[in-house]
Amino acid sequence: MRVLVACEFSGIVRSAFVGRGHDAMSCDLLPCERERPDGWDGHYRGDVRELLSDPSYAFDLMIAFPPCTRLASSGARWFKGREQEQDAAIAFVRLLLAAPVARIAIENPIGVLSTRIRKPDQIIQPWQFGHGEVKATCLWLKNLPLLVPTQLVEGRTARVHREPPSPERWKNRSRTLQGIADAMADQWGNLT
């Protein structure tokens, strides 16, 4: 399966698919934090719109993590006066949902997408996939089944919420946890 992981600088989800034998690449404006397991860089540094509009690229599955700065409820106090930026962020998500890819998942926190586009198909938590923490994550799905929890964890903390201020805070809060990446690769990578 050819997989595009859009707006991913960490390489976590991409590597999960590659580790299961898929032809997967990530794409982000930032450089990737990790190499693919097979040694190929596997990362397109640039705007995902360039890949989606290039007919030489064709993907069976796209998992996209659009920036949530102007979309997440956690940043709502900063929305006033930035309506144009928010409209551009929503338009970007609409473009991703309309991409010429048969199966699509869009990931974002609880926020304005629920009212400006549609309610998410699923809300997942890290503690459903082997991580002892809380972080409600919405998934908007096109031709994909809901993710089935793989490992429920009892002790739950709000690590992401308690991330101290730092220049790396936004990166630390936005990385996909390995258990969720593995569930995506295991459950969505087997679709034909």
Side-chain angles (χ1 to χ4, degrees), residues 54-162:
D54 185 339
S56 64
Y57 288 97
F59 300 98
D60 303 302
L61 168 64
M62 177 177 67
I63 302 170
F65 301 88
C68 65
T69 306
R70 302 289 174 246
L71 302 172
S73 294
S74 59
R77 64 184 168 176
W78 308 109
F79 289 169
K80 186 166 174 54
R82 296 190 167 144
E83 291 82 5
Q84 287 182 329
E85 293 171 31
Q86 186 176 72
D87 288 344
I90 292 166
F92 181 61
V93 172
R94 288 184 193 282
L95 178 136
L96 292 172
L97 282 168
V101 180
R103 294 181 173 97
I104 297 173
I106 305 290
E107 181 271 4
N108 226 252
I110 293 172
V112 300
L113 295 179
S114 295
T115 56
R116 299 282 300 272
I117 293 183
R118 65 178 167 85
K119 298 252 184 250
D121 296 289
Q122 183 176 22
I123 299 176
I124 60 172
Q125 291 277 356
W127 55 263
Q128 296 172 307
F129 299 92
H131 300 278
E133 55 193 85
V134 175
K135 180 187 177 193
T137 303
C138 300
L139 299 173
W140 288 264
L141 306 173
K142 174 184 165 187
N143 297 324
L144 287 169
L146 301 180
L147 281 179
V148 177
T150 56
Q151 181 184 353
L152 300 181
V153 174
E154 289 300 321
R156 302 171 189 162
T157 63
R159 178 195 59 84
V160 171
H161 178 71
R162 294 188 175 121

